[in-house]
Amino acid sequence: MPPFASNGRLRLLDIVFDAQTNGSRPLYSDGDLVSGRVVFKASGPLQLRAVRLAAHGAACVRCTGGQQQRYLHFDTCLLGGSEGTPLETLVMGHHELPFCFELPEGILASSFRGRYGDISYYVHVELQCQGRRTCSVQRQFFVVQHVDLSTPVLQSSVAAAGEKTVGIWKMSGPVSLSAKINRGGYCPGELLHIHAEVENCSSRLVIPQTSLCQKQTFLAHGRTLTYTHAVAAVRGESIPSGKREFWDGQPLPIPNVTPSVLDCNIIRVEYFLKVSVNIPGSTKLSVKLPLVLGTIPSQPCSSRTSSFSSQSRIALLQPLWTTLNLALRLQSLLPEPLEEPPSYSEVVTEDQRRLFLHRVELQEDANITCLPCPQEFFLQPPPLYSEVNRNPRTPVSNI
């Protein structure tokens, strides 16, 4: 819409978003509050019947008869509006009317402008002046539907390979190509590292190149239109006949483009990496690696680190658990421990000892020869401890 032109005493009419700072675009996501001010300037007293604000957003296909899918519709009155309400008289000068509304969650698609259609969101303000005069202005704001790249599918590597025979009869030979990227999801501003191998067994000079392509798909009344173009590209060195070239992490900067739009019924925006080999006098040999451009970078470190650390702890504790289980099993097979043998004082009482000494004195007085064995026996400690075999079937070691 062209900029507002002065009409009578109204010299300025504009919409200013609070999220619009330093000339940046007003950017929001689903569930956010869109707030701002309606700014107008009068060169003299101005009588207003109503000031209405409407917000609307839709996906629109402009080809094959047109198709539309509505995402947002909001209408409110900032000033006046009801029947019988007297006119509001504004004095000369600068005036502002604040507004605020909430975006719905889970149904919005990212703002996009394509070749045959677009997804756009607008705020429209209309001033109903005295009589039938109306003045209006419309400003666009932008919505980004966040795409999380932390899903396991987008963190997995993507690979493809192809081969083509070039030439005729004895001069023919194959040209083979294999390519791989580390994961299937990236964010604008990141470096996409390409791993590729090109083997030229033909008689021609070939040139490898790769490009990040955007594919726009438009659906309307059962018909489909697609438009594909490259948004970034990188080129390799020429490969002569009989040679091979490797790309070990060839970087490709991802430009600031619209994230993938996958949740709209009539407009889809997809991306893929096209690795190709230019062959003079023949068609290209190409492979395509699909990928998703999102807004939330992948976070594999936290989950993978925790998983790795837990697995490492389990691996370190596994030998200890095995040893403890084995010790418990062996302990259950061993016989019960035997009781300790009695001490000397428990076997020979003090009275028995005195009686024995008294008998020895009597024998010495009667000149009766007495072997020292009994005396030595009673004066010596108990015999050495030896285990008693409680299970006669199992012999006991003497050790």
Side-chain angles (χ1 to χ4, degrees):
M1 172 174 289
F4 173 78
S6 62
N7 186 354
R9 296 179 180 179
L10 187 62
R11 297 300 179 185
L12 173 67
L13 177 60
D14 198 4
I15 301 173
V16 179
F17 296 94
D18 292 339
Q20 187 176 1
T21 57
N22 298 327
S24 62
R25 299 191 308 173
L27 187 62
Y28 303 91
S29 181
D30 55 347
D32 291 348
L33 290 176
V34 180
S35 60
R37 306 177 308 278
V38 178
V39 180
F40 51 94
K41 184 177 181 181
S43 60
L46 182 65
Q47 290 184 334
L48 296 179
R49 188 177 303 276
V51 178
R52 304 194 64 87
L53 180 141
H56 52 86
C60 181
V61 177
R62 299 186 298 268
C63 60
T64 65
Q67 186 80 10
Q68 185 176 1
Q69 180 179 356
R70 178 176 293 183
Y71 288 111
L72 173 66
H73 181 70
F74 175 79
D75 192 358
T76 186
C77 190
L78 301 179
L79 184 65
S82 59
E83 293 292 338
T85 303
L87 298 177
E88 294 283 346
T89 302
L90 301 180
V91 298
M92 179 182 62
H94 184 85
H95 301 274
E96 293 185 359
L97 291 176
F99 66 88
C100 180
F101 61 92
E102 184 178 1
L103 296 177
E105 295 185 4
I107 64 172
L108 301 182
S110 298
S111 299
F112 172 73
R113 186 171 185 84
R115 188 176 184 87
Y116 303 113
D118 53 50
I119 304 174
S120 54
Y121 299 86
Y122 291 93
V123 170
H124 180 85
V125 172
E126 183 180 86
L127 270 67
Q128 299 176 1
C129 303
Q130 183 181 13
R132 295 185 177 181
R133 292 186 306 162
T134 59
C135 302
S136 63
V137 65
Q138 183 171 274
R139 292 289 180 261
Q140 183 180 11
F141 66 96
F142 300 88
V143 173
V144 172
Q145 180 67 25
H146 292 298
V147 180
D148 192 357
L149 302 179
S150 299
T151 59
V153 176
L154 298 180
Q155 292 182 7
S156 303
S157 60
V158 183
E163 184 177 304
K164 182 178 182 179
T165 301
V166 181
I168 57 174
W169 200 30
K170 294 184 179 181
M171 301 297 294
S172 64
V175 178
S176 60
L177 167 65
S178 61
K180 175 185 176 183
I181 54 179
N182 296 331
R183 61 181 190 268
Y186 291 86
C187 286
E190 290 186 323
L191 286 178
L192 194 156
H193 297 281
I194 308 166
H195 305 272
E197 177 184 354
V198 181
E199 184 176 6
N200 183 18
C201 296
S202 67
S203 59
R204 304 179 186 180
L205 188 72
V206 300
I207 304 174
Q209 66 177 12
T210 182
S211 57
L212 177 62
C213 299
Q214 181 190 77
K215 180 182 178 182
Q216 306 174 10
T217 305
F218 304 90
L219 307 174
H221 303 290
R223 298 183 59 185
T224 303
L225 286 178
T226 60
Y227 172 70
T228 304
H229 69 288
V231 297
V234 63
R235 182 175 177 177
E237 299 294 335
S238 302
I239 305 176
S241 176
K243 297 296 182 178
R244 178 184 301 179
E245 182 178 349
F246 295 92
W247 281 357
D248 189 12
Q250 175 72 29
L252 176 64
I254 300 178
N256 188 15
V257 293
T258 304
S260 299
V261 179
L262 307 174
D263 50 0
C264 182
N265 295 330
I266 61 176
I267 297 178
R268 290 178 64 89
V269 180
E270 301 168 290
Y271 294 89
F272 63 88
L273 184 69
K274 181 180 180 181
V275 184
S276 59
V277 179
N278 293 334
I279 306 173
S282 179
T283 57
K284 294 182 180 180
L285 171 62
S286 303
V287 295
K288 296 181 180 180
L289 306 177
L291 56 89
V292 174
L293 294 188
T295 57
I296 303 177
S298 59
Q299 304 291 337
C301 296
S302 59
S303 59
R304 290 186 180 181
T305 302
S306 61
S307 175
F308 177 77
S309 60
S310 61
Q311 292 178 2
S312 301
R313 289 194 295 269
I314 293 175
L316 293 175
L317 293 176
Q318 188 66 30
L320 179 59
W321 292 343
T322 305
T323 305
L324 292 177
N325 291 334
L326 181 60
L328 292 175
R329 292 177 61 186
L330 292 177
Q331 185 178 2
S332 62
L333 297 177
L334 293 177
E336 297 180 0
L338 300 178
E339 297 180 0
E340 296 181 358
S343 62
Y344 182 79
S345 60
E346 295 179 355
V347 177
V348 180
T349 62
E350 185 66 23
D351 295 338
Q352 291 177 347
R353 181 175 174 275
R354 290 177 181 179
L355 178 61
F356 173 76
L357 295 177
H358 179 67
R359 290 178 179 179
V360 172
E361 291 176 357
L362 292 177
Q363 291 177 358
E364 290 179 352
D365 295 341
N367 296 325
I368 299 175
T369 304
C370 181
L371 296 176
C373 294
Q375 183 177 0
E376 292 179 0
F377 172 78
F378 279 100
L379 294 178
Q380 292 294 327
L384 296 177
Y385 170 73
S386 62
E387 296 183 357
V388 179
N389 188 7
R390 297 189 178 186
N391 188 3
R393 298 181 182 181
T394 306
V396 177
S397 174
N398 294 328
I399 299 177

